[in-house]
């Protein structure tokens, strides 16, 4: 029996969605303020592209290595500097667009504009309140003086404190445990035939153990990751600054500037952005996921969100050029394949933006007035489902896959035919998976290639296939009892 490419792709993305966001059994419910954005196609990465995430930039042994890490930091920052669209996938033209001055909204610039032109409540704080705010900010973020290896010039930057590093590190472990729990449940729910017995038995016998791992990770996040303390400090900052936000807003603007760095090659400041864990390319927190054509019917019955987010995923084989343009091949979503199976490893990394403080959006002591600095057509977010606005949310996690293996004679034949039509510098993708492409790396190009033997297609490289995003809610959303004249 043959199956359309689109049905197979929908089954697979549905499995990934539930593995990451949860839902279905009431144990790990999906966050209603979270949505997923697929990449179209995946974004290739080499291990060296993320070297600065684990080793840092200024710890480099020499100027050459430091400059390489700076360029890698610039590339990752540019890639992640986007405002997600709830109604569309993160397509190849948008990926390339992040590097262009005329691109769609840059997250850092929109955040800066919102901070700069917001009107905030101007009630003075007591000395005790101000001292407590300063203490909490110092516990969450710390200023650090670094020396440039080339010029010996000292520069002050803002980095996550030890408390925040412990918080985000424990959060990453919790996310890994949740992914494993959801993946095992999804595999058991979609298991069919003799080969599905192991997944079903594994869930029946070990479900409680997997859940205990989630609980243990949550407990570790609380006990060693300062979960309650960080949440309480952020809550205090939010509650206190609802009355007086002038100094807080100024400090956020200063920290935004302190988080900007630049490279010798690109003399334009960019917001420092990194990933946790920094060693994701070599870490052990990867989960193996598999699907076959027999799980297709299950995916059609799986739960869906109340509104469609991150849509537009095309599951026909397509070709695209190095500049991000994409042309559909003759193998569209309804192309039939038989005896299809796919396996890969998946992991997710928390995105850390040193100069970005999203708690500002949850605060109810600020507003924007059109024409008074704010010249965009829309306010940040109307808070609806789905939301509408110029800044409805931001990416919190990047989802990586590697070691992709597809077993299907029909699929491999279609891929081979599509690849033969690709000119130099082009590539081939299927849904959110990049199967073959050239991509920019420093001052040269690197190949992201796959191998096939007529029945099996192997893609060994690492790539980002999507992002987990957080919705802001209504922003701005000032308290109704604050007089208009109190905003300055």
């Amino acid at each position: 029996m043959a199956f359309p490419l689109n049905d197979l792709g929908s089954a697979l993305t549905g499995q990934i969605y539930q593995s990451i966001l949860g839902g279905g059994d009431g144990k790990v419910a999906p966050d209603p303020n979270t949505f997923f954005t697929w990449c179209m196609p995946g974004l290739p990465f080499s291990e060296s592209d993320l070297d600065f995430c684990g080793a840092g930039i200024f710890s480099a042994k020499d100027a050459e290595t430091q400059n390489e890490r700076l360029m890698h930091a610039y590339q990752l920052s540019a890639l992640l500097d986007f405002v997600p669209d709830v109604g569309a996938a993160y397509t190849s033209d948008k990926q390339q667009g992040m590097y262009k001055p005329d691109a769609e909204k840059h997250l850092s610039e929109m955040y800066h504009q919102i901070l700069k032109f917001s009107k905030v409540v101007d009630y003075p704080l007591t000395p005790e309140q101000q001292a407590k705010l300063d203490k909490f900010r110092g516990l969450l973020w710390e200023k650090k003086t670094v020396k440039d290896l080339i010029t010996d010039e000292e520069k002050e930057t803002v980095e996550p404190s030890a408390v925040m590093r412990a918080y985000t590190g424990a959060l990453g472990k919790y996310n890994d445990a949740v992914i494993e729990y959801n993946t095992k449940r999804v595999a058991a729910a979609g298991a069919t035939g003799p080969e599905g017995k192991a997944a079903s038995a594994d869930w029946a016998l070990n479900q409680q153990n997997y859940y205990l791992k989630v609980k243990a990770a949550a407990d570790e996040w609380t006990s060693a990751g300062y979960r309650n303390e960080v949440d309480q400090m952020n809550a205090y900052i939010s509650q206190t600054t609802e009355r007086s936000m002038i100094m807080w807003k100024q400090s956020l603007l200063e920290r935004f500037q302190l988080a900007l760095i630049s490279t010798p090659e690109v003399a334009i400041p960019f917001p420092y952005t990194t990933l946790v864990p920094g060693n994701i390319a070599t870490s052990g927190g990867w989960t193996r996921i598999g699907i076959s054509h027999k799980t297709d019917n299950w995916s059609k019955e799986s739960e869906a969100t109340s509104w469609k987010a991150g849509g537009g995923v095309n599951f026909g084989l397509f070709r695209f050029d190095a500049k991000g343009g994409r042309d559909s091949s003759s193998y569209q979503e309804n192309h039939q394949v038989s005896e299809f199976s796919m396996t890969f490893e998946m992991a997710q990394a928390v995105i850390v933006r040193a100069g970005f403080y999203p708690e500002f959006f949850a605060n109810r002591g600020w507003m924007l007035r059109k024409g008074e600095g704010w010249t965009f057509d829309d306010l940040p977010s109307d808070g609806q489902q789905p939301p509408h606005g110029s800044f409805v949310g931001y990416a919190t996690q990047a989802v990586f896959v590697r070691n992709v293996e597809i077993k299907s004679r029909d699929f491999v034949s279609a891929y081979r035919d599509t690849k033969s039509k690709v000119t130099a510098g082009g590539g081939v993708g299927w849904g959110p998976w990049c199967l073959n492409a050239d991509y920019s790396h420093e001052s040269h190009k690197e190949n992201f290639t796959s191998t096939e033997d007529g029945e099996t297609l192997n893609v060994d490289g690492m790539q980002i296939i999507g992002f987990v995003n957080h919705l802001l809610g209504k922003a701005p959303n000032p308290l109704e009892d604050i007089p208009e004249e109190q905003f300055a």
Side-chain angles (χ1 to χ4, degrees):
M1 181 178 178
F3 299 84
L5 281 176
N6 190 65
D7 289 355
L8 293 170
S10 296
L12 185 51
T13 53
Q15 182 170 344
I16 294 173
Y17 178 88
Q18 289 207 25
S19 292
I20 295 172
L21 299 184
D25 71 345
K27 289 286 188 178
V28 183
D31 186 344
N33 294 320
T34 299
F35 69 97
F36 199 86
T37 300
W38 298 102
C39 294
M40 284 286 290
L43 310 173
F45 278 84
S46 67
E47 185 176 323
S48 63
D49 290 333
L50 304 177
D51 52 5
F52 75 96
C53 295
I57 295 176
F58 300 104
S59 61
K61 61 182 180 180
D62 51 43
E64 291 81 4
T65 304
Q66 178 174 287
N67 286 338
E68 287 180 0
R69 292 181 183 177
L70 280 168
M71 182 54 67
H72 295 160
Y74 166 74
Q75 292 168 341
L76 184 66
S77 174
L79 178 70
L80 299 179
D81 196 21
F82 70 96
V83 177
D85 184 347
V86 298
Y90 185 41
T91 56
S92 56
D93 57 328
K94 289 185 180 180
Q95 293 163 18
Q96 289 292 330
M98 292 303 102
Y99 300 94
K100 300 176 183 177
D102 60 346
E104 296 186 22
K105 307 179 190 74
H106 291 248
L107 181 147
S108 60
E109 183 57 30
M110 293 302 298
Y111 173 66
H112 188 214
Q113 292 285 321
I114 292 169
L115 280 182
K116 185 176 180 181
F117 295 114
S118 60
K119 309 297 181 181
V120 298
V121 174
D122 189 19
Y123 288 113
L125 298 178
T126 66
E128 292 78 11
Q129 289 174 323
Q130 187 62 55
K132 196 169 184 178
L133 285 177
D134 292 340
K135 174 185 176 181
F136 286 169
R137 291 168 187 156
L139 288 172
L140 297 176
W141 302 92
E142 60 187 19
K143 295 180 179 180
K144 185 176 181 181
T145 301
V146 297
K147 181 179 291 187
D148 191 288
L149 291 179
I150 300 175
T151 65
D152 288 333
E153 179 183 356
E154 291 189 345
K155 180 179 179 180
E156 192 174 63
T157 64
V158 175
E159 297 182 356
S161 67
V163 170
M164 280 300 294
R165 290 195 296 272
Y167 180 89
T168 54
L171 170 60
K173 292 180 180 179
Y174 173 75
N175 287 333
D176 288 341
V178 168
I179 283 184
E180 182 183 25
Y181 176 90
N182 288 326
T183 298
K184 296 293 186 180
R185 184 189 63 80
V186 169
T192 59
E195 67 273 16
K197 290 177 60 179
S200 177
D202 177 44
W203 181 254
L205 297 174
N206 296 314
Q207 179 272 338
Q208 187 65 16
N209 293 328
Y210 293 132
Y211 179 66
L212 288 176
K213 290 179 69 174
V214 174
K215 184 178 183 301
D219 292 341
E220 181 181 352
W221 186 12
T222 300
S223 60
Y226 302 99
R227 179 180 184 177
N228 292 336
E229 291 84 351
V230 170
D231 289 346
Q232 289 172 10
M233 284 188 282
N234 282 328
Y236 180 84
I237 291 172
S238 178
Q239 294 170 7
T240 305
T241 54
E242 281 180 355
R243 294 188 56 81
S244 181
M245 293 181 61
I246 294 292
M247 295 302 296
W248 186 41
K249 172 184 169 179
Q250 182 59 34
S251 71
L252 294 182
L253 285 167
E254 292 173 356
R255 295 181 184 201
F256 176 83
Q257 294 297 329
L258 287 173
L260 299 177
I261 59 176
S262 61
T263 75
E265 292 187 34
V266 183
I268 300 175
F270 64 91
Y272 179 73
T273 307
T274 188
L275 300 175
V276 176
N279 66 336
I280 185 171
T282 57
S283 70
W286 291 76
T287 302
R288 177 159 289 278
I289 292 179
I291 190 173
S292 70
H293 64 280
K294 295 181 180 179
T295 61
D296 173 58
N297 289 333
W298 167 78
S299 76
K300 294 178 181 178
E301 300 173 357
S302 61
E303 294 184 1
T305 56
S306 58
W307 51 277
K308 187 175 180 60
V313 179
N314 181 309
F315 285 105
L317 281 165
F318 54 78
R319 55 182 181 271
F320 51 91
D321 61 39
K323 294 181 180 179
R326 185 174 69 242
D327 295 320
S328 296
S329 74
S330 58
Y331 297 99
Q332 302 297 331
E333 296 99 318
N334 58 359
H335 179 72
Q336 304 285 311
V337 298
S338 59
E339 297 302 321
F340 176 94
S341 67
M342 181 178 185
T343 61
F344 56 88
E345 293 177 303
M346 183 177 72
Q348 60 180 332
V350 177
I351 301 171
V352 178
R353 302 176 177 91
F356 178 59
Y357 291 78
E359 52 266 42
F360 178 81
F361 296 99
N363 189 283
R364 302 190 63 184
W366 65 280
M367 65 180 299
L368 287 167
R369 296 192 183 109
K370 290 187 177 182
E372 296 184 23
W374 185 256
T375 57
F376 295 93
D377 291 334
D378 299 314
L379 292 174
S381 178
D382 61 8
Q384 299 299 309
Q385 294 277 340
H388 177 78
S390 59
F391 197 114
V392 300
Y394 57 95
T396 59
Q397 298 163 52
V399 178
F400 287 83
V401 299
R402 69 183 183 189
N403 299 332
V404 176
E405 181 182 82
I406 299 175
K407 292 183 178 181
S408 170
R409 183 181 295 274
D410 293 337
F411 187 96
V412 172
S413 176
Y415 164 77
R416 181 187 296 166
D417 182 60
T418 303
K419 182 183 176 184
S420 68
K421 300 175 183 177
V422 174
T423 58
V428 178
W430 178 56
W433 287 272
C434 179
L435 305 179
N436 181 279
D438 291 340
Y439 72 101
S440 298
H441 177 79
E442 300 173 19
S443 60
H444 61 279
K445 298 272 188 182
E446 285 198 3
N447 293 323
F448 186 79
T449 59
S450 56
T451 58
E452 43 89 7
D453 61 7
E455 293 186 358
T456 303
L457 180 70
N458 290 289
V459 187
D460 296 329
M462 181 174 61
Q463 57 183 296
I464 293 177
I465 62 167
F467 299 98
V468 178
N469 307 284
H470 176 73
L471 289 175
L472 293 179
K474 186 177 181 180
N477 187 26
L479 293 171
E480 296 178 358
D481 58 354
I482 299 178
E484 181 79 12
E485 60 272 15
Q486 292 294 337
F487 290 97

